[in-house]
Amino acid sequence: MDLNCRRIEEVRVRQGLNQTELANKAGLSRQWLSVILLRGSATTEAAIKIADALEVPLQEILEG
């Protein structure tokens, strides 16, 4: 899935989370979250975990 990484970062910062905290909330390693954000894509499962951790609808963090 293509992600809107800028939107993910906006929400993360607004919530006062650093990448490690977001990764922990999402059940991902910080390294894997970094790779996802650099690539701008993730598996459906990882995208859902990130959206859930940010407490936003999945659609909000998808590109397009």
Side-chain angles (χ1 to χ4, degrees):
M1 304 188 100
D2 291 334
L3 300 176
N4 183 336
C5 296
R6 183 176 10 196
R7 182 69 182 137
I8 292 169
E9 289 298 303
E10 287 172 1
V11 175
R12 178 184 66 75
V13 170
R14 185 178 71 225
Q15 292 183 4
L17 299 171
N18 62 38
Q19 274 194 2
T20 301
E21 292 166 330
L22 175 56
N24 289 339
K25 279 185 77 173
L28 304 168
S29 71
R30 189 205 48 81
Q31 294 87 349
W32 186 237
L33 178 62
S34 293
V35 168
I36 288 170
L37 294 176
L38 285 172
R39 287 184 184 166
S41 66
T43 64
T44 302
E45 181 182 353
I48 291 169
K49 286 181 176 186
I50 293 168
D52 287 348
L54 291 171
E55 299 175 3
V56 298
L58 177 60
Q59 211 49 35
E60 187 170 332
I61 65 165
L62 296 180
E63 190 67 54

